[in-house]
Amino acid sequence: MRGGGNGQEPIVQIEGVTKAFGNNEVLRGVNLTLYPGETLVLLGGSGSGKSVLLGILIGLLQAGGGRVMLSDMEVTAFRTEEEWKAIWRSVGFLFQGAALFDSMSVRDNIAFPLEIHTDLSRAAIDDKVSRLLAMVGLGDIQQKMPSELSGGMQKRVALARTIALEPRIVLYDEPTTGLDPITSDTIAELIRELQKRLGITSLVVTHDIRLAFRVADRVSMLYQGKIVITGPLEEIRNHQDPRVREFLYG
Amino acid sequence: MTLAAELGNRVIALIRYLGELSLFALSILPILFRKPLFFGLIIRQIRDIGIYSFPLVAISSFAIGIVLSMHSIHLLKQFGAVHYVAAAVGLSVVKELGPVLTALMVAGRSGSGISAELGSMRVTRQIDALQVLAVNPMKYLVVTRIVACMIAVPLLTAFADLLGITGGLLMGITRGGISPSLYLDITFEFVEMIDLVPGLLKAAFFGMLIGIVSTYGGFTASGGTTGVGTATTRTVVVTSLMIFISDVFLSQTFIVLLGG
Ligand SMILES: Nc1ncnc2c1ncn2[C@@H]1O[C@H](COP(=O)(O)OP(=O)(O)OP(=O)(O)O)[C@@H](O)[C@H]1O
Ligand SMILES: [Mg+2]
């Protein structure tokens, strides 16, 4: 749903989320809403708390206060790992550094969630791995180890692993940092593809403006612990707020 | 900083470390038998520990068997009881040196390896990746390795016992002039099956220590590759000390329980 919103029920709702580490107040009341099928890009400077926010959404960090709703479940009220399981099965998370299992081959990395969480036969899993690799634009590299791959290829393998269980929502933490512009563009292409072909809702955290312009339906900006601006891409492009202009155009 | 203050800080740091280590160990209990049990992984870990530590265990226990035998022969000759070397070597190896040497070798080789592996998984966020793929990292990485250590160390200890006795036998024949059959007869007369039990139980306990300390070291590693190095070194130091200290108490306990 390009443009997002317009009478739909939100799929992600973040309300007044706070988080501090000691005296360091990183998030000071973040409000953000995602609608099904849209791609929202969250911009913010280094250290502004983007990764912390994603960590809270996926249950790797505990929010200090506020509320997070994911697909109608209030995850900030979760107390046990069992409750998180359903979320982990339906929300994909792409780590900034790919975080591939370096003791496993490419095939085993992508097959891992399928082997653990589905009853698919080995043949069916192999088949699915091949299709996932093709989808992220990689050929026959099943037997390679992660250390043999370039950074861009690792990211794409990680993306294949992230979408193996067909999540409804994917959270991307800096999907293009450290990649050359051409590889970055193929990642942007993939994010668009996933949105179009699988209807995946995406939250893309980045400070890569080029990526933002390529994938965003809407853009938000995190600044000093709060979301200072949210709007459709075109609106943000021409925004007069100095904080936005400085971020976009230096 | 004054010496006293420095010492005080060290003691506080040690107490905190032991406290957190204990909490880590306790947090394993509720998930110990939760499914899936990852049998395949446990088998692979046992195999890895075996492959990497066996040569060290074999060489050190064989050498200790030889040395122990040399000293005992020297002593026993003065009493004209040289063939009792078989009993001295057999009992020392089975009750004490086999399990302790094996545990130290496994700690140095495989314990440090586990710490380094899990530490690098921690700092490259592979442990977080497991979590968000809905696989409990404690279950998948920690429990499997602790169980593997608890099985592998007694197995290796059995080999160490065998090789230690073989080393002793070699010296008994060449230096002591004892016939192989007499040596073995005396060995079996003094080392009974029941004597193997305390050693193997101790080995399992040492295996548990190695597993807990090394996985804890890896899980709590932070600060990039230097952090992983620090965690690895500490793992070996802490496990070695714990093995020696617990050995005193365990040996005493078995002496009380089994009368020797
Ligand atoms: N586990 C933690 N313990 C203590 N402080 C933390 C922790 N994680 C993050 N922080 C602090 O929170 C702040 C925000 O960090 P975060 O990683 O979210 O930034 P970011 O917006 O993702 O930056 P970047 O664009 O560089 O990735 C930083 O000041 C960081 O030091
Ligand atoms: Mg970040």
Side-chain angles (χ1 to χ4, degrees):
Chain A
M1 205 11 32
R2 296 190 73 84
N6 310 2
Q8 274 179 299
E9 284 293 311
I11 189 166
V12 179
Q13 242 178 320
I14 303 168
E15 294 167 0
V17 165
T18 60
K19 178 73 184 176
F21 297 99
N23 295 328
N24 182 8
E25 286 182 50
V26 181
L27 304 179
R28 301 159 185 255
V30 170
N31 297 302
L32 201 60
T33 305
L34 266 83
Y35 296 94
E38 77 166 333
T39 299
L40 185 115
V41 171
L42 179 63
L43 294 172
S46 204
S48 60
K50 305 183 299 293
S51 296
V52 168
L53 183 62
L54 289 185
I56 290 170
L57 292 184
I58 201 70
L60 292 172
L61 289 171
Q62 186 126 38
R67 213 164 75 112
V68 175
M69 304 280 300
L70 283 182
S71 338
D72 292 329
M73 279 182 273
E74 186 179 348
V75 299
T76 31
F78 284 178
R79 288 291 167 266
T80 66
E81 199 184 307
E82 287 312 305
E83 296 172 284
W84 274 105
K85 282 228 165 111
I87 296 293
W88 286 328
R89 298 272 321 253
S90 64
V91 180
F93 189 93
L94 184 69
F95 287 87
Q96 179 164 350
L100 291 174
F101 302 124
D102 51 22
S103 62
M104 294 182 197
S105 66
V106 166
R107 186 258 170 210
D108 290 349
N109 263 281
I110 301 173
F112 184 79
L114 298 167
E115 279 163 355
I116 300 252
H117 296 300
T118 70
D119 299 324
L120 294 176
S121 69
R122 200 186 156 80
I125 288 179
D126 283 337
D127 191 52
K128 179 131 197 184
V129 169
S130 299
R131 274 187 288 128
L132 285 163
L133 276 173
M135 194 184 249
V136 297
L138 292 171
D140 191 17
I141 57 161
Q142 275 96 328
Q143 297 319 315
K144 285 220 181 340
M145 299 303 283
S147 58
E148 301 173 71
L149 306 179
S150 71
M153 288 165 95
Q154 289 186 11
K155 279 262 167 70
R156 284 188 272 175
V157 172
L159 186 54
R161 182 180 69 184
T162 298
I163 58 175
L165 290 174
E166 297 169 9
R168 298 176 55 213
I169 304 171
V170 178
L171 310 175
Y172 298 84
D173 195 354
E174 313 267 8
T176 58
T177 307
L179 302 183
D180 64 81
I182 296 175
T183 313
S184 298
D185 285 352
T186 60
I187 298 273
E189 206 53 46
L190 273 171
I191 296 174
R192 296 286 300 274
E193 275 288 302
L194 292 177
Q195 180 188 33
K196 263 189 281 176
R197 284 183 31 194
L198 307 176
I200 288 176
T201 309
S202 300
L203 175 57
V204 182
V205 152
T206 188
H207 35 213
D208 179 351
I209 308 301
R210 197 182 150 91
L211 173 72
F213 283 164
R214 267 157 214 266
V215 301
D217 298 319
R218 289 190 305 142
V219 178
S220 289
M221 192 166 156
L222 185 61
Y223 184 80
Q224 296 190 341
K226 289 190 169 155
I227 301 289
V228 288
I229 261 129
T230 298
L233 181 60
E234 306 78 53
E235 194 180 297
I236 300 293
R237 235 191 253 266
N238 305 315
H239 212 285
Q240 291 312 308
D241 189 306
R243 291 168 300 193
V244 179
R245 297 207 70 78
E246 156 136 21
F247 197 92
L248 294 188
Y249 307 109
Chain B
M1 208 188 297
T2 67
L3 193 64
E6 169 77 5
L7 211 61
N9 281 339
R10 294 260 172 140
V11 170
I12 291 169
L14 177 69
I15 291 172
R16 167 174 301 169
Y17 173 85
L18 291 176
E20 283 170 3
L21 182 71
S22 313
L23 288 180
F24 177 81
L26 286 177
S27 71
I28 293 163
L29 291 179
I31 57 166
L32 203 50
F33 299 107
R34 194 188 294 168
K35 284 184 176 148
L37 296 174
F38 300 117
F39 274 124
L41 266 187
I42 295 175
I43 302 292
R44 206 161 71 206
Q45 288 295 327
I46 294 173
R47 199 197 57 192
D48 280 357
I49 297 168
I51 289 173
Y52 290 123
S53 297
F54 181 76
L56 297 170
V57 169
I59 292 168
S60 57
S61 57
F62 190 64
I64 281 287
I66 289 175
V67 174
L68 206 58
S69 187
M70 290 193 310
H71 287 303
S72 308
I73 288 169
H74 185 73
L75 184 72
L76 291 167
K77 260 189 179 158
Q78 301 170 24
F79 303 102
V82 74
H83 51 280
Y84 284 113
V85 64
V89 171
L91 287 174
S92 328
V93 165
V94 164
K95 293 193 170 196
E96 206 42 61
L97 293 164
V100 172
L101 264 184
T102 303
L104 289 175
M105 291 298 131
V106 173
R109 186 67 180 85
S110 301
S112 63
I114 290 171
S115 254
E117 184 192 10
L118 298 196
S120 94
M121 289 185 76
R122 166 62 78 198
V123 301
T124 57
R125 307 205 65 188
Q126 293 173 55
I127 293 180
D128 286 338
L130 278 175
Q131 184 86 69
V132 303
L133 290 169
V135 175
N136 186 325
M138 290 290 282
K139 186 88 223 185
Y140 186 81
L141 298 173
V142 173
V143 174
T144 51
R145 279 167 178 75
I146 295 174
V147 172
C149 286
M150 291 181 71
I151 297 170
V153 177
L155 282 178
L156 287 167
T157 297
F159 281 112
D161 290 350
L162 216 59
L163 282 161
I165 289 173
T166 310
L169 172 73
L170 213 65
M171 281 294 109
I173 297 166
T174 55
R175 290 263 178 103
I178 309 164
S179 77
S181 60
L182 177 62
Y183 193 100
L184 289 178
D185 280 349
I186 298 201
T187 302
F188 287 122
E189 187 184 326
F190 281 87
V191 185
E192 294 173 55
M193 268 307 163
I194 186 78
D195 292 318
L196 295 177
V197 174
L200 295 179
L201 285 178
K202 279 202 293 193
F205 185 83
F206 296 153
M208 185 182 75
L209 284 181
I210 295 168
I212 292 173
V213 177
S214 62
T215 52
Y216 175 76
F219 254 55
T220 51
S222 63
T225 38
T226 17
V228 176
T230 316
T232 305
T233 310
R234 183 164 38 184
T235 292
V236 177
V237 174
V238 170
T239 1
S240 306
L241 286 177
M242 284 187 165
I243 287 167
F244 284 122
I245 295 169
S246 62
D247 186 41
V248 174
F249 293 102
L250 289 174
S251 302
Q252 176 60 31
T253 308
F254 284 123
I255 287 171
V256 170
L257 286 181
L258 303 172

